[in-house]
Amino acid sequence: MSTEKVKKTVPYTVPIGPVHPALKEPVMFTFGMEGEIVRTVDFAPGQTHRGIEWMGMRRNPVQIVHLTDRICGICGIVHSLSFARAVEQIAEIQVPERADYIRTILHELERIQSHLLWAGVAAHELGFDSLFYLTWRVREQSMDLIENLTGNRVNYGIVQIGGVRRDISDEQRVLAEKGLDYYQGLLDKMATLFLEDSTILMRCRGHGILSEQDARLLCTIGPTARASGLNMDVRQDYPYCAYGDLDVKAILPPPETGGPKGDVYDRIIVRLLEVGQSIGIIRQCLENLPAGEILWEPKMAKLLAVLKKAEGEGIGRVEAPRGECMHYVKMAGKEAPESWKVKASSYSNLMSWIPMLQGEQLADVPIIVASIDPCLSCTDRVAVTRNGRSDILTKEDLSRLSREKTRRMMQ
Amino acid sequence: MIGNLPMILVGAVLIAVFSIIIGLLLMGFDRIVAARMQARIGPPLTQPFTDIRKLLAKENVVPENAIPWLFNLAPVLALASAITILLYLPIAGFAPVLSGGGDLILVMYLLTIPALALVAGGFASGSPYATVGAQREMVTMIAYEFPLAIVIIAIAWKLAAAGIALPFTLASIQANPVWSLVGPLGVIGLLILLIVLLIVTPAELSRVPFDTPEAETELAGGILVEYSGKNLALFSLTQGVKTVAMASLVVALFFPYSLAAILGIAGIPAAVTDILFFIVLITIVAFLSVSLVRVSMARFRINQVISVYWIYLAIAGLAGLLLVMTDQIVGVI
Amino acid sequence: MAGLPFVPEVLKQLFSRPATNAFPARHLPPSVTEFLAKVARGEAQIHPPVPTPPKFRGKIVYDREACIGCSLCIRVCPAHAIEFIPETKRVRIYVTQCIFCSQCNDVCPKDALHMSSDFLLATEDRYAESQIVE
């Protein structure tokens, strides 16, 4: 249906965004409404493009690693790990085993805090602020642990090309184990508070449904895809860091809760179960933490020299809390990479909003939008302005532009 | 009536001042208690006063699409009508200021006026959020009116059946506490009716889980989204006064007791005791029906608000009414 | 309570200590700067912030004597927060631009750069004395 036609058939439109309390991230929605029912959905990302790739192409990989920390306020490890893996692939750097385990531990700690953060936001979107406060309070434990291990609550600065910058000492190990025990004891309570509350059940069960087929067709990833029943997880399908040594299986909504229905409730279940899974992974890593170096080359000047000589292309893929995150890097024997492309996980999930939102009530828009855990600041790679006003690029425009760019790069 | 005019005016001013102060204190209390239940410290008790003072100093912004006269009239209308309700309710054992002029049926109708003013203001704002909010407010109003009516009729019927003249006047309800008129079955019935009334209260005050008209997360404050400055201050005051009014209604219907009479105090100390006792009672009611409810559940969708009131609460209310009636019939036999 | 598992939880929290850290005071003072001035004069008590962990990365500390002016730190600084002063052959660090990654600490051959645990750095002037380390 063309936009013109739609405008005539819906009685009124409600704009939500780019700045709106329903959205913790800047995106612009236009809903065609019929009473309380959403008939048509359109959304426009690209409200918060920061040109981070442009900045990266003027810096050396050691600098970019710290830049990647700041692509997302939550997935610091994810982006820096993904970038580092791409560069290590190009420069053929062998990461020490101990560093791989430490990376895994922090990666999973990040997943715990990210999922708890999401759970709090979801509770807030449902109008359940007490649960939001409680969730964020227990999240502090993981933030404190991360702060202790890396030196900062966010923007950890722990990943370096060829390893990690800080080791885990024996005292820190004790702290980490204490933190894990805390979350282990908390899991049942969180499950009760989220899954047995009848008001949450009323609001989430059977709403924002994404069928398995739609999830596959729209290439959704991460917990959104798993809640719809797609058995996929980069940690399982394409193990990296220490995941090859561990037994990681993608978590699907268990049959005793009614099997994968692909609704908002299933997404809550998947994320809560993944917190439990992460606790298990960290425990295994701490137990089997191998001894040895944590950096491939501790001397930065030497590392920089190696990276300057590196030539080739690399792709770093990691399973972020929101789904697969991918960094593409091309180095051409210069200080700065010739090309750097970031695909944040939310990018693949945005289109699933449309089938989820159609036919739902306006009241459910916030929780459905939040249910894919969108992270648009990390996702926005393009903002087009022409003559001072923003513009929309069609599919044809995009393929023409990418062909032109490829030709430029081939020369 | 004309001869009483000066008295009525003085009474009205006193009630207005009293209800605004108590209303704001109740809001402050609600914020502290809610904060504590969420493991936060919360603002000082006087925070609502500070907020109102700040709002009164701010500019009134009237949106371009708004209908200015209606937009500006709505807050005044809302506050005035909310205070008017209190003129018909007995406060702290004193007879209502306008006693003899109206009864419970009038109070029921008056209760809808602040909400109607809010709806008018919402539609006059000319914003899609406010329009959706106003539609929801109307639906909510229709939804809770039915259980509210059941409760009021049940109590009036009980008084009538007990042979009391003028069962709908608040003076009769005040003089004859319903609990003393019923047997054990009736007590259960009245308890159910009390719970129904306590659950109607958050919707009347549009608090979570029935705050769908304001729904911060999807409507950004909905019906109030375009209001600012003095107009918003008036709506905040209305909110406080409405809290007092609803709590007073609950107290007047179910707890029309005087502590002074029980303790045998007379004179001015009696008035002071009764006022304090009344404040304690409405605080307890506000805690149970506003603070506790709003921190322990998620917001309902608008269709769920309707089903909660029309199906669950209406059935509960009718069951309460039936129990009270059965009790009366059994008692007579 | 069936169906509403949060009711016992909120009632329990009502009677326990709030989790909030009352920094800098229990309630927002009418003027924060005045409050801080009072604290400095010893007339008011400040509630301490949450303690920082060991090896926290706060405001940078520069040991001018140890520095040899190799400018390796400038090469790795992601934020271009370090400036080389040719006349003195030393560096100047702009704290407002620093992103606290401590990469310069790692790269420094003479161990002249360190991170302190100082984190309350906000000012209104980005070139204030406290915002420039040299």
Side-chain angles (χ1 to χ4, degrees):
Chain A
M1 219 190 277
S2 73
T3 7
E4 268 316 298
K5 225 172 167 185
V6 165
K7 265 185 195 146
K8 277 182 198 137
T9 52
V10 294
Y12 67 104
T13 56
V14 171
I16 290 191
V19 179
H20 186 282
L23 308 163
K24 303 295 166 274
E25 300 277 342
V27 58
M28 170 81 198
F29 280 98
T30 314
F31 294 111
M33 303 293 301
E34 196 180 307
E36 287 272 334
I37 309 292
V38 174
R39 286 287 169 229
T40 59
V41 188
D42 189 17
F43 71 92
Q47 317 283 339
T48 175
H49 175 53
R50 294 169 295 168
I52 208 154
E53 288 165 342
W54 186 91
M55 287 163 79
M57 267 125 82
R58 276 141 194 87
R59 281 163 170 80
N60 63 45
V62 172
Q63 290 173 310
I64 301 177
V65 162
H66 298 294
L67 206 59
T68 54
D69 246 348
R70 283 150 182 87
I71 292 178
C72 181
I74 305 161
C75 307
I77 306 269
V78 163
H79 284 284
S80 50
L81 184 55
S82 187
F83 175 78
R85 286 182 51 76
V87 174
E88 282 153 12
Q89 209 177 318
I90 300 169
E92 288 171 1
I93 291 171
Q94 194 69 44
V95 178
E97 217 180 332
R98 187 175 174 88
D100 260 345
Y101 271 75
I102 294 176
R103 282 176 172 191
T104 309
I105 290 169
L106 289 162
H107 192 26
E108 292 304 321
L109 269 177
E110 186 173 81
R111 195 181 315 278
I112 293 177
Q113 66 94 348
S114 172
H115 280 350
L116 288 176
L117 173 126
W118 174 82
V121 170
H124 172 70
E125 301 293 12
L126 289 168
F128 203 157
D129 277 354
S130 309
L131 191 49
F132 156 61
Y133 290 124
L134 180 92
T135 318
W136 278 35
R137 192 164 81 237
V138 300
R139 172 175 174 259
E140 277 308 296
Q141 198 78 17
S142 59
M143 300 297 284
D144 286 350
L145 192 52
I146 289 174
E147 191 183 24
N148 199 297
L149 294 177
T150 68
N152 223 329
R153 278 165 59 89
V154 281
N155 303 146
Y156 320 109
I158 182 90
V159 176
Q160 182 58 279
I161 312 284
V164 288
R165 292 174 61 205
R166 284 189 185 183
D167 205 353
I168 293 182
S169 68
D170 286 342
E171 298 97 74
Q172 285 173 329
R173 236 174 116 145
V174 174
L175 269 181
E177 262 152 24
K178 222 191 266 169
L180 292 180
D181 290 342
Y182 173 77
Y183 282 119
Q184 194 78 57
L186 204 71
L187 272 178
D188 281 344
K189 185 175 161 185
M190 295 307 274
T192 314
L193 292 181
F194 271 97
L195 303 179
E196 283 174 23
D197 192 292
S198 43
T199 49
I200 294 183
L201 191 69
M202 274 164 85
R203 291 290 307 275
C204 296
R205 205 25 140 186
H207 289 276
I209 292 180
L210 181 71
S211 66
E212 189 181 336
Q213 199 195 353
D214 277 346
R216 204 184 296 280
L217 287 177
L218 292 167
C219 302
T220 49
I221 48 172
T224 314
R226 293 197 279 276
S228 293
L230 295 187
N231 187 343
M232 56 184 289
D233 190 321
V234 185
R235 295 174 295 171
Q236 163 195 287
D237 307 332
Y238 176 80
Y240 53 96
C241 291
Y243 292 112
D245 304 348
L246 308 167
D247 185 31
V248 184
K249 288 268 169 291
I251 287 194
L252 301 179
E256 53 268 32
T257 61
K261 284 195 168 81
D263 55 9
V264 175
Y265 198 70
D266 270 350
R267 280 168 225 140
I268 301 179
I269 296 177
V270 166
R271 291 199 174 91
L272 285 178
L273 290 177
E274 283 189 14
V275 172
Q277 186 190 33
S278 295
I279 297 172
I281 293 174
I282 302 171
R283 269 194 211 285
Q284 281 186 52
C285 285
L286 283 173
E287 268 163 36
N288 306 323
L289 193 62
E293 289 299 312
I294 56 163
L295 270 176
W296 174 74
E297 176 52 72
K299 291 217 170 58
M300 282 295 121
K302 254 190 202 166
L303 180 67
L304 280 172
V306 170
L307 292 175
K308 199 173 170 178
K309 273 185 236 137
E311 267 181 74
E313 295 174 295
I315 287 180
R317 294 171 68 189
V318 301
E319 178 75 16
R322 288 155 187 74
E324 182 189 329
C325 167
M326 202 173 83
H327 280 233
Y328 164 82
V329 183
K330 183 177 179 189
M331 307 273 287
K334 286 199 203 94
E335 178 101 11
E338 184 167 277
S339 180
W340 173 34
K341 183 77 207 151
V342 181
K343 195 223 68 158
S345 28
S346 295
Y347 181 80
S348 310
N349 285 337
L350 296 186
M351 290 312 284
S352 63
W353 270 332
I354 291 179
M356 276 183 206
L357 286 167
Q358 263 163 1
E360 293 292 346
Q361 287 197 15
L362 183 64
D364 291 323
V365 166
I367 181 65
I368 293 173
V369 167
S371 72
I372 69 159
D373 202 358
C375 192
L376 286 153
S377 303
C378 341
T379 304
D380 281 347
R381 290 279 91 76
V382 190
V384 184
T385 52
R386 251 177 233 158
N387 308 326
R389 38 184 282 272
S390 61
D391 216 334
I392 291 172
L393 290 183
T394 60
K395 192 180 161 195
E396 288 74 36
D397 290 333
L398 285 173
S399 58
R400 180 176 48 79
L401 283 171
S402 40
R403 265 188 226 116
E404 280 171 15
K405 183 167 182 186
T406 315
R407 255 180 230 124
R408 268 204 313 278
M409 285 171 68
M410 301 288 275
Q411 281 163 11
Chain B
M1 194 80 183
I2 304 291
N4 278 342
L5 197 61
M7 277 300 288
I8 288 174
L9 279 179
V10 171
V13 170
L14 277 180
I15 289 285
V17 172
F18 174 80
S19 61
I20 285 174
I21 292 174
I22 297 295
L24 290 180
L25 283 176
L26 268 187
M27 281 164 84
F29 171 77
D30 164 64
R31 287 179 66 173
I32 292 180
V33 178
R36 286 304 161 83
M37 285 193 273
Q38 295 168 337
R40 293 182 291 123
I41 292 176
L45 186 63
T46 53
Q47 187 64 41
F49 293 90
T50 320
D51 291 349
I52 295 285
R53 204 176 64 210
K54 178 104 181 195
L55 283 176
L56 286 177
K58 293 258 178 188
E59 182 195 4
N60 257 337
V61 179
V62 181
E64 227 170 81
N65 297 339
I67 309 165
W69 67 269
L70 190 54
F71 184 78
N72 289 322
L73 179 69
V76 181
L77 202 62
L79 182 59
S81 54
I83 293 175
T84 314
I85 304 168
L86 279 167
L87 299 183
Y88 288 98
L89 287 174
I91 305 278
F94 299 108
V97 175
L98 291 177
S99 56
D103 55 13
L104 265 180
I105 306 286
L106 180 68
V107 169
M108 236 184 84
Y109 278 102
L110 279 177
L111 272 174
T112 58
I113 294 184
L116 282 175
L118 205 58
V119 169
F123 279 126
S125 303
S127 143
Y129 297 139
T131 309
V132 176
Q135 288 167 356
R136 288 183 178 181
E137 176 72 39
M138 285 199 298
V139 173
T140 314
M141 216 158 66
I142 295 165
Y144 67 69
E145 217 58 20
F146 185 39
L148 181 65
I150 293 175
V151 173
I152 287 178
I153 286 169
I155 288 178
W157 183 85
K158 178 67 220 172
L159 290 182
I164 290 156
L166 300 170
F168 276 105
T169 56
L170 283 140
S172 330
I173 294 170
Q174 182 80 2
N176 307 284
V178 272
W179 303 96
S180 58
L181 300 174
V182 293
L185 261 184
V187 170
I188 300 173
L190 283 178
L191 271 178
I192 294 174
L193 291 172
L194 174 62
I195 291 169
V196 170
L197 190 55
L198 285 179
I199 300 178
V200 168
T201 308
E204 179 73 55
L205 304 171
S206 49
R207 306 308 289 263
V208 178
F210 306 110
D211 67 336
T212 21
E214 283 168 32
E216 184 241 334
T217 45
E218 73 255 25
L219 294 182
I223 215 162
L224 292 174
V225 73
E226 297 294 346
Y227 276 101
S228 56
K230 295 179 190 68
N231 283 338
L232 186 58
L234 288 182
F235 270 130
S236 304
L237 289 177
T238 311
Q239 178 76 6
V241 175
K242 258 164 76 180
T243 315
V244 178
M246 273 314 280
S248 308
L249 183 66
V250 176
V251 172
L253 288 179
F254 288 96
F255 308 103
Y257 298 106
S258 154
L259 188 64
I262 295 166
L263 296 176
I265 310 172
I268 291 173
V272 174
T273 324
D274 268 349
I275 289 174
L276 289 178
F277 181 58
F278 175 76
I279 292 172
V280 169
L281 280 181
I282 60 172
T283 312
I284 294 172
V285 170
F287 170 75
L288 287 177
S289 64
V290 177
S291 312
L292 183 60
V293 173
R294 90 180 168 100
V295 296
S296 47
M297 53 185 82
R299 179 184 305 120
F300 288 127
R301 236 179 263 130
I302 189 73
N303 60 339
Q304 290 169 341
V305 170
I306 298 175
S307 56
V308 163
Y309 281 113
W310 279 11
I311 300 173
Y312 301 107
L313 281 187
I315 289 172
L318 286 174
L321 179 63
L322 273 178
L323 280 172
V324 173
M325 287 171 116
T326 322
D327 177 70
Q328 173 73 17
I329 293 160
V330 171
V332 169
I333 295 163
Chain C
M1 234 170 145
L4 292 173
F6 217 79
V7 175
E9 184 65 33
V10 288
L11 290 176
K12 206 169 81 194
Q13 284 177 5
L14 180 62
F15 297 104
S16 39
R17 267 174 68 90
T20 319
N21 182 43
F23 173 75
R26 189 179 163 82
H27 293 303
L28 182 70
S31 157
V32 177
T33 34
E34 233 165 73
F35 175 73
L36 290 178
K38 263 191 192 169
V39 172
R41 288 198 301 272
E43 289 166 19
Q45 197 99 50
I46 195 166
H47 197 285
V50 178
T52 55
K55 290 162 88 183
F56 175 79
R57 301 194 303 264
K59 188 182 171 184
I60 198 158
V61 181
Y62 176 42
D63 183 352
R64 215 181 151 78
E65 304 310 312
C67 179
I68 51 168
C70 69
S71 66
L72 259 177
C73 49
I74 295 172
R75 209 174 145 208
V76 296
C77 179
H80 301 322
I82 311 178
E83 185 185 26
F84 187 69
I85 311 287
E87 296 83 53
T88 53
K89 293 212 163 49
R90 293 293 179 270
V91 296
R92 179 185 292 154
I93 303 145
Y94 294 93
V95 178
T96 43
Q97 236 170 306
C98 174
I99 59 169
F100 306 95
C101 65
S102 85
Q103 188 64 56
C104 51
N105 295 201
D106 290 8
V107 82
C108 185
K110 290 289 164 192
D111 216 13
L113 290 161
H114 293 277
M115 298 312 246
S116 66
S117 57
D118 217 0
F119 65 91
L120 292 169
L121 304 172
T123 57
E124 286 162 348
D125 178 13
R126 42 171 61 210
Y127 300 108
E129 206 177 319
S130 62
Q131 305 297 311
I132 293 174
V133 175
E134 54 182 342

